[in-house]
Amino acid sequence: MKLKNLKLVNFRSYEDIFLDFSPGINIFIGDNGSGKTNILEAIYVLSLTKSNRIAHDLDLIKTGFNKSIITGEVLHDDYVKKYQVSIDKFSKKVYINNFQIKKISEYISNFCITSFLPNDIEIIKGSPSIRRNLLNIQIGEIYNHYLKYLNEYNTLLKMRNEYLKRLNINAFSDMKYLEVINEKMASISSKIYYFRFFYLEEINNLISKIYYKLSGIKELKVEYVNNLGITSYNEEKIKEILLTKWKKNLNKEMLQGMTLTGLHRDDLIFSINNQDARIYASQGQQRLIVIAYKIAELMIFKKIKGEYPVLLLDDVFSEIDIKKRNNIIKFLKSDIQVIITTTDIEDISKDLVDCARVFKIKNGEIKIKGGVKNGRKSTRKL
Ligand SMILES: Nc1ncnc2c1ncn2[C@@H]1O[C@H](COP(=O)(O)OP(=O)(O)OP(=O)(O)O)[C@@H](O)[C@H]1O
Ligand SMILES: [Mg+2]
């Protein structure tokens, strides 16, 4: 899929701009604080309805205004769809072709992106919830119903935790209710595990080769660490282990008022040559691991959905040596639409710049290099 254009109204530093993208490489150049990441963030929100860098949607609205609207037209195979996200202090609304989509989970797997953003290094170094979140976004973009299962699981988890707290206060509460929740949770868990195991198998089929091409280092693996102790998918076994563990640990869970076993506690471990990348890999190598992971994601997406998602790269090249930069660029020279930001055009190889549409951001104005002004006030209605 290709993002044809983007219109921002009162989003972050932009009051009203319209941008036309190239279906190939697009590069945004500007000084620190000029508004490059804001553009990528807007595309991220247009796809996933949430920002990658902040928790509160209202911070996305330009200071002094009440409502922010992001609109973009996306070319899928041979048809164009218009996507829109609008945020104000009362609500967030999403639209496809001007029709409001009531369930966010039904909106998300339509316009899809893969991104490499500066804080993505946290995928290696950060807490397990970051890696689970990544996995959920990636699988959810490919399989819409995965997000529905996940929502269902999270609702049940909340109910279960509340009931455990109640049981702790009043041990005479009805155990039957807990058993019903357990059964439902075990069943939905096994559906979610199916997707997670499948996706990670696909990742592991690709990632080592990609990483070798990028870095010259062999053997990158991603291990799915789960507190059930299983290494492959088995529906009945998953249900059985969960129900047994919940029964066995009931007193402990009641005391703590939370569910201690389940997929909400799982994690991924990246290893190079069987050594944990968190401890063993350098900063640059960690970045490259995440890039290899994202390239694998692009390929899996293409294999299953038949088209590439749009790739967002925020200041990706600054900490990577020239040889490896060129290796990354080789992967980008295919049918993928890429939107890159940089403070220094020298960080991006010349042959990539030569075939790119280059946008220069200065004092809130965006100009196409060598072309007409393409930003500031939008005149086109979307
Ligand atoms: N809600 C908002 N309203 C108005 N301006 C905002 C809002 N949020 C952020 N900004 C402005 O956006 C600018 C930051 O933009 P952005 O993060 O896109 O910069 P950048 O070009 O990516 O910089 P760097 O190269 O340092 O990463 C800041 O100057 C900030 O003041
Ligand atoms: Mg930035």
Side-chain angles (χ1 to χ4, degrees), residues 115-169:
S115 56
F116 184 84
L117 311 167
N119 58 4
D120 276 350
I121 194 81
E122 291 297 310
I123 290 168
I124 308 286
K125 295 199 290 199
S127 68
S129 66
I130 294 172
R131 289 178 285 279
R132 282 195 300 271
N133 192 33
L134 173 81
L135 203 56
N136 291 338
I137 290 175
Q138 292 174 334
I139 303 173
E141 281 200 316
I142 299 176
Y143 297 105
N144 180 271
H145 44 295
Y146 175 83
L147 292 178
K148 284 183 205 147
Y149 296 148
L150 205 64
N151 284 342
E152 224 173 292
Y153 180 86
N154 288 331
T155 309
L156 287 166
L157 180 65
K158 216 170 146 202
M159 282 162 66
R160 189 173 191 275
N161 288 345
E162 273 161 20
Y163 204 70
L164 285 169
K165 282 181 200 132
R166 228 169 99 183
L167 280 173
N168 196 35
I169 298 164

Side-chain angles (χ1 to χ4, degrees), residues 125-262:
K125 295 199 290 199
S127 68
S129 66
I130 294 172
R131 289 178 285 279
R132 282 195 300 271
N133 192 33
L134 173 81
L135 203 56
N136 291 338
I137 290 175
Q138 292 174 334
I139 303 173
E141 281 200 316
I142 299 176
Y143 297 105
N144 180 271
H145 44 295
Y146 175 83
L147 292 178
K148 284 183 205 147
Y149 296 148
L150 205 64
N151 284 342
E152 224 173 292
Y153 180 86
N154 288 331
T155 309
L156 287 166
L157 180 65
K158 216 170 146 202
M159 282 162 66
R160 189 173 191 275
N161 288 345
E162 273 161 20
Y163 204 70
L164 285 169
K165 282 181 200 132
R166 228 169 99 183
L167 280 173
N168 196 35
I169 298 164
N170 180 6
F172 298 106
S173 298
D174 187 5
M175 279 297 177
K176 264 263 163 291
Y177 180 69
L178 189 69
E179 278 165 26
V180 171
I181 296 182
N182 286 356
E183 281 293 335
K184 281 189 178 170
M185 253 175 91
S187 162
I188 204 83
S189 296
S190 101
K191 288 183 175 139
I192 295 169
Y193 274 116
Y194 171 81
F195 285 104
R196 288 190 176 177
F197 273 108
F198 164 78
Y199 188 76
L200 281 158
E201 198 181 317
E202 293 282 315
I203 287 276
N204 277 312
N205 287 340
L206 294 167
I207 198 166
S208 214
K209 270 186 226 134
I210 298 170
Y211 189 65
Y212 180 63
K213 280 189 187 162
L214 293 181
S215 68
I217 296 175
K218 281 190 180 156
E219 274 270 283
L220 169 62
K221 262 196 246 153
V222 192
E223 191 190 341
Y224 182 33
V225 186
N226 57 83
N227 49 34
L228 307 191
I230 51 171
T231 50
S232 62
Y233 179 75
N234 181 324
E235 186 181 354
E236 287 313 312
K237 203 168 164 193
I238 288 170
K239 284 189 197 163
E240 191 190 307
I241 298 175
L242 278 171
L243 292 173
T244 311
K245 285 210 172 200
W246 285 331
K247 201 168 175 185
K248 195 174 147 215
N249 296 327
L250 181 62
N251 284 340
K252 209 166 145 194
E253 290 193 330
M254 272 165 57
L255 269 175
Q256 297 192 27
M258 65 169 100
T259 305
L260 301 172
T261 306

Side-chain angles (χ1 to χ4, degrees), residues 12-13 31-38 53 59-63 343:
R12 292 279 201 190
S13 51
D31 293 342
N32 295 130
S34 59
K36 302 180 297 297
T37 300
N38 292 348
R53 45 178 188 173
D59 294 331
L60 299 173
I61 303 174
K62 186 173 169 65
T63 311
T343 46

